[in-house]
Amino acid sequence: MKNYGNIADIRQEYTKSGLRENELPDDPLLLFSQWLQEAIDAKVDEPTAVTVGTVSPEGKPSTRTVLLKGLHDGKFVFYTNYESRKGKQLAQNPYISLSFVWHTLERQVHIEGIASKVTPEESDEYFRKRPYRSRVGARISPQSQPISSRMQLIRAFIKEAARWIGKEVERPDNWGGYAVVPTRIEFWQGRPNRLHDRFLYTLQLNGEWEISRLAP
Ligand SMILES: Cc1cc2nc3c(=O)[nH]c(=O)nc-3n(C[C@H](O)[C@H](O)[C@H](O)COP(=O)(O)O)c2cc1C
């Protein structure tokens, strides 16, 4: 057997905190925003980083990391290229998963739901807040497509940057936000002896959330 590293003995006890049933709010978005704020306050690296899972038309899953840029009206918002691999998959199948993990706090949150594009106005509003160079980059990067070299990218960037000097860089039509409406949200808090706390919120037909404790 070829062994690429001795990792079997790496393990850690999770002792930082607990999640009690009687402290759970009815609205999981409230708990999520509290946990996110605690991750920001704890200065964890990239507290808004989230693993996004999408599914191909053949039913094959794929994941990648993006940054959460909005949490409003019960929706989770992130921005990307609509013609990227994830964008193409979401156009065919809007079911999506979002996984946050904050190792310092021994916490993770798994979300499942349905993604749809935010309005062009909402995408414009966020695009305008991005640094000039990121806006130029969004215009020239054919995200997820093969390219011949880094030089090709840099040439396209310089040419495009020159075109927009002194002007408001316009958002390209193929770049914008997705808003995820959650239907299932699970909170995980690490506990000693691998007896972790897991609480699952499931959206009911009447719009209310049902809470159940899951075995670790
Ligand atoms: C920390 C981190 C943050 C990222 N944030 C974004 C983001 O907000 N939007 C985005 O399109 N890609 C982001 N990426 C790049 C994606 O992970 C991915 O490479 C890209 O979106 C293409 O994915 P796809 O080919 O699966 O569509 C980020 C990567 C990392 C590591």
Side-chain angles (χ1 to χ4, degrees), residues 12-20 35 105-108 186-199 213-216:
Q12 200 177 314
E13 270 294 278
Y14 301 129
T15 57
K16 296 232 164 100
S17 190
L19 186 56
R20 283 161 209 84
W35 276 25
L105 301 176
E106 301 170 352
R107 284 175 174 169
Q108 65 175 350
E186 184 205 316
F187 294 86
W188 184 101
Q189 173 76 62
R191 299 296 303 269
N193 308 316
R194 300 294 187 255
L195 300 180
H196 316 300
D197 287 329
R198 295 178 66 190
F199 287 101
R213 182 188 271 275
L214 303 180

Side-chain angles (χ1 to χ4, degrees), residues 23-41:
E23 290 170 6
L24 296 175
D26 293 338
D27 178 3
L29 273 300
L30 262 182
L31 182 56
F32 178 84
S33 58
Q34 183 191 319
W35 276 25
L36 180 60
Q37 190 57 52
E38 286 170 11
I40 294 165
D41 294 344

Side-chain angles (χ1 to χ4, degrees), residues 32 36 46-51 66-68 71 76 98-103 107-111 186:
F32 178 84
L36 180 60
E46 299 283 26
T48 60
V50 52
T51 304
V66 302
L67 299 177
L68 187 74
L71 186 61
F76 297 80
L98 304 175
S99 289
F100 293 83
V101 57
W102 300 296
H103 294 287
R107 284 175 174 169
Q108 65 175 350
V109 180
H110 292 314
I111 296 156
E186 184 205 316

Side-chain angles (χ1 to χ4, degrees), residues 46 49 62-69 78-81 84-87 143-144 175:
E46 299 283 26
S62 64
T63 60
R64 75 291 292 158
T65 309
V66 302
L67 299 177
L68 187 74
K69 288 293 172 184
F78 68 90
Y79 288 87
T80 192
N81 186 310
S84 63
R85 185 168 184 231
K86 73 183 98 43
Q143 194 178 54
S144 314
W175 190 99

